[in-house]
Amino acid sequence: SDITEIGHYAFFGCKNLTSIVAPHTVTLIGDYAFKGCRRLPTIEITYNVKKIGRGAFDNTIVTII
């Protein structure tokens, strides 16, 4: 996969998002990328992620593994 970032506001307010699988190539999670994703129970972040943007997980109930 060539995906290197999850952009700013990428999944902002996706209230029905229940899972996400990000490839190991992701190095950046943008500002407010998952804000308000209330049904997203967990997200696995690999060691390749170098930056998590401001408010990336605001208003979510998420466990970062």
Side-chain angles (χ1 to χ4, degrees):
S1 176
D2 293 334
I3 298 170
T4 59
E5 66 180 61
I6 298 171
H8 303 305
Y9 298 93
F11 297 97
F12 179 89
C14 290
K15 294 180 176 125
N16 292 320
L17 184 65
T18 58
S19 67
I20 187 163
V21 177
H24 292 290
T25 54
V26 171
T27 60
L28 171 101
I29 297 174
D31 297 343
Y32 309 105
F34 295 97
K35 181 177 181 176
C37 297
R38 296 177 188 263
R39 294 186 65 202
L40 184 64
T42 62
I43 184 167
E44 186 172 332
I45 298 175
T46 68
Y47 62 90
N48 293 331
V49 173
K50 305 299 182 211
K51 181 175 183 200
I52 297 175
R54 169 183 58 230
F57 300 102
D58 280 0
N59 297 324
T60 62
I61 301 170
V62 68
T63 302
I64 299 174
I65 301 172

